[in-house]
């Protein structure tokens, strides 16, 4: 099949046959990724149990309760418009719907307000979702650090390419990749019943792009640099998810402190370590070992695109902190901050800094 042509993905004079297991060496293979599908569904089951038996009691213990919204009365005409047209009809449409449904204008307006309120996720649901992501990112970061701290390429990025691509896969690398891929696969499967945010389409694109990038690096044995990239991104995700949890619990000072820590870690990991260590590692060092090829350019372009997103998100974070420090800020609706850490995952912070952040539209 032309897609797997050696000249596209591998350096010159190397073929896929060179990456067959032999002499005690074990290499990553595309067929290994099949297991991520059942693992993704396993993650969904674990998440369900976690949210039901751990996150929900925890939410109740900090005073978060299930909010019960008034249900809109059954009305096929208004429901059809709501689901197929607009959630917020114009005044002209309201007048037309009033005539069709034999309701007064005020009754139609009240129906749409209640219907929108029904779809608005409660704090309890957001807390459960943030709890699940926090636990995963925390364990992923700890596990990634444990798997990498004693490796030469963790301290010297030139070691990433020593012997490439004939680098035997370690068991710790296998599980780090498989679990990350399975987790993002579960996020893709769960978008249908997760909190619906205004970045719904972008969430799907992000999850797909993450899966493609991780799968590509796995198949061409870019595993060493892939694990470093994952670790750098997991570092700040932990702090943001924890800030959201304290925000939902209305621990504003703790939330603000964690957000500032998140901003610092984000700047260091994604604007310093990521470009000046990791992208430098993938752009400069490989050509010392072999001529550039398509896979080399493809991977580096994907990383540069990711860096551009980091720069944009960092600018928005700095704007928020600046307004917070000068005191001219207002409250922020949670789903407007959803793009700050799209890395990795989808965000939804309600009043993230309480009275400290202005309303933003991101991405």
């Amino acid at each position: 099949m032309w897609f797997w042509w050696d000249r596209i993905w591998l350096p010159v004079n190397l073929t896929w046959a060179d990456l067959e297991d032999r002499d005690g060496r074990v290499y990553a293979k595309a067929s290994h990724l099949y297991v991520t599908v059942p693992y993704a569904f396993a993650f969904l089951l674990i998440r369900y149990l976690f949210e039901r038996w751990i996150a929900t009691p925890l939410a109740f213990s900090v005073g978060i309760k299930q909010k019960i919204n008034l249900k809109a009365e059954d009305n096929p005409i208004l429901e059809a418009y709501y689901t197929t047209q607009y959630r917020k009809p114009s005044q002209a449409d309201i007048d037309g719907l009033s005539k069709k449904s034999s309701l007064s204008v005020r009754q139609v307006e009240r129906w749409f307000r209640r219907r929108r309120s029904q779809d608005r996720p409660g704090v309890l649901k957001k807390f459960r979702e943030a709890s699940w992501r926090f636990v995963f990112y925390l364990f992923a970061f700890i596990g990634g650090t444990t798997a990498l701290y004693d490796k030469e390429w963790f301290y010297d990025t030139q070691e990433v390419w020593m012997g490439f691509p004939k680098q035997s896969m370690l068991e710790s690398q296998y599980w780090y990749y498989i679990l990350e891929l399975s987790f993002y696969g579960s996020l893709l499967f769960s978008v249908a019943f997760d909190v619906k945010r205004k970045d719904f389409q972008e969430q799907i694109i992000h999850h797909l792009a993450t899966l493609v990038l991780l799968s590509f690096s796995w198949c061409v044995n870019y595993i060493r640099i892939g694990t470093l990239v994952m670790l750098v991104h997991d570092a700040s995700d932990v702090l943001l998810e924890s800030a959201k949890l304290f925000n939902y619990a209305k621990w504003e000072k703790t939330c603000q402190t964690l957000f500032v820590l998140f901003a610092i870690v984000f700047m260091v990991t994604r604007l310093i370590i990521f470009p000046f260590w990791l992208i430098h590692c993938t752009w400069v060092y490989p050509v010392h070992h072999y001529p550039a090829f398509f896979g080399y350019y493809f991977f580096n372009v994907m990383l540069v695109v990711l860096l551009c997103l980091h720069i944009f998100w960092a600018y928005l974070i700095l704007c928020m902190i600046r307004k917070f420090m000068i005191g001219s800020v207002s409250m922020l609706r949670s789903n407007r901050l959803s793009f700050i850490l799209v890395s990795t995952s989808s965000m939804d912070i309600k009043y993230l800094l309480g009275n400290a952040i202005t309303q933003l539209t991101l991405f």
Side-chain angles (χ1 to χ4, degrees), residues 256-276:
Q256 293 174 16
T257 300
L258 286 170
F259 182 80
V260 172
L261 289 175
F262 149 72
I264 294 172
V265 173
F266 184 95
M267 301 299 171
V268 172
T269 56
R270 304 202 185 191
L271 296 187
I272 298 177
I273 295 177
F274 183 68
F276 297 109

Side-chain angles (χ1 to χ4, degrees), residues 314-358:
Y315 167 75
L316 294 171
I317 294 171
L318 290 175
C319 288
M320 294 166 64
I321 293 177
R322 174 178 174 273
K323 293 179 180 180
F324 166 64
M325 294 182 67
I326 65 178
S328 59
V329 295
S330 60
M331 286 192 175
L332 169 65
R333 285 191 48 144
S334 61
N335 56 6
R336 306 297 282 178
L337 192 59
S338 60
F339 291 103
I340 282 185
L341 273 189
V342 88
S343 63
T344 310
S345 58
S346 57
M347 305 302 141
D348 183 19
I349 306 176
K350 184 176 184 179
Y351 305 135
L352 177 63
L353 296 182
N355 297 321
I357 308 174
T358 189

Side-chain angles (χ1 to χ4, degrees), residues 192-253:
F193 55 84
D194 281 346
V195 174
K196 291 293 187 299
R197 303 175 180 88
K198 295 185 178 180
D199 60 339
F200 177 77
Q201 294 181 345
E202 289 79 3
Q203 287 182 55
I204 295 177
I205 294 173
H206 167 259
H207 297 334
L208 286 173
T210 301
L211 291 170
V212 169
L213 188 57
L214 290 178
S215 299
F216 168 78
S217 62
W218 174 270
C219 293
V220 298
N221 214 25
Y222 277 16
I223 295 179
R224 290 184 179 181
I225 188 62
T227 53
L228 293 177
V229 171
M230 287 191 293
L231 185 66
V232 162
H233 285 74
D234 287 339
S236 55
D237 289 348
V238 175
L239 291 169
L240 182 58
E241 296 298 334
S242 61
K244 291 161 59 177
L245 292 175
F246 284 105
N247 170 67
Y248 297 141
K250 301 187 184 301
W251 292 28
E252 293 185 3
K253 290 185 178 180

Side-chain angles (χ1 to χ4, degrees), residues 4 17 32 48 70 82 85 115 139 150 158 182 191 220 251 304 314 340:
W4 294 107
H32 291 158
Y48 170 78
L70 291 175
Y82 181 87
Q85 300 290 328
R115 186 64 181 83
F139 279 99
D150 60 343
Q158 294 191 55
S182 301
V191 293
V220 298
W251 292 28
V304 170
I340 282 185

